[in-house]
Amino acid sequence: MADSDPSPGSIISSGPVIVGVDGSSNAQRALAMAAEIARRFDLDLAVFHAIGMMTVIEGRHVPSEGHRDDLERMLRLEWCAALAADRELRWRAELVYGSPADVLMKMGAGLDASFVVVGSRGVGDELALGSTSHHVVHHCDRPVVVVPPADRTG
């Protein structure tokens, strides 16, 4: 019977942990969880921000076109700031065009991700499970970790 019970090392790929960020507090919690998973399993961390038609900068919805430099700065210097101090963690951050769910699934499959980590809701989501996390949970072919917001932890 022991042969049919795989050890965690045999079912977790060596691919990176994938996480999406959008500047929301829940995305920051998801990033912290993704970094912890990457550390514990000695995996790389790949952080993505999906660029669509519109984006939120300083609380305002603005067209993404023409704001790529602003988004790049926020991604690296604000949203991923905590990662920069961690010398043990191997990570990268990238802007990718597409919807958040599509970007996470495409990058997860393309990089053979070990895990895809997503916050249960993002900017403006008041639902228990936001549209991005709902879509990723139901359609992703990688293990998915959904991180609840701070107000739903015990």
Side-chain angles (χ1 to χ4, degrees):
M1 191 69 155
D3 289 338
S4 65
D5 220 10
S7 68
S10 68
I11 60 174
I12 297 172
S13 80
S14 61
V17 177
I18 303 291
V19 64
V21 294
D22 62 8
S24 67
S25 61
N26 198 220
Q28 291 306 113
R29 287 175 51 82
L31 178 61
M33 175 67 75
E36 181 64 22
I37 293 168
R39 276 188 220 95
R40 288 196 185 201
F41 289 101
D42 192 30
L43 300 168
D44 291 351
L45 175 63
V47 183
F48 297 101
H49 175 72
I51 301 177
M53 297 290 289
M54 300 292 285
T55 194
V56 177
I57 295 179
E58 296 177 2
R60 296 176 316 141
H61 287 274
V62 297
S64 295
E65 196 62 37
H67 290 279
R68 187 175 175 90
D69 289 344
D70 294 329
L71 290 169
E72 189 77 42
R73 180 190 49 75
M74 289 189 308
L75 175 63
R76 296 190 186 288
L77 300 179
E78 293 176 28
W79 304 338
C80 293
L83 303 179
D86 190 336
R87 302 263 182 235
E88 303 290 317
L89 186 64
R90 299 176 310 273
W91 66 279
R92 69 182 179 124
E94 187 178 333
L95 299 173
V96 179
Y97 284 95
S99 74
D102 288 343
V103 166
L104 289 172
M105 291 188 306
K106 177 177 82 174
M107 299 312 291
L111 296 173
D112 189 27
S114 296
F115 298 95
V116 174
V117 180
V118 63
S120 63
R121 64 181 193 220
V123 176
D125 259 333
E126 297 302 322
L127 303 173
L129 195 62
S131 59
T132 298
S133 51
H134 183 269
H135 190 84
V136 171
V137 163
H138 289 284
H139 299 286
C140 191
D141 66 349
R142 306 282 140 186
V144 178
V145 177
V146 179
V147 179
D151 63 5
R152 268 198 261 137
T153 60

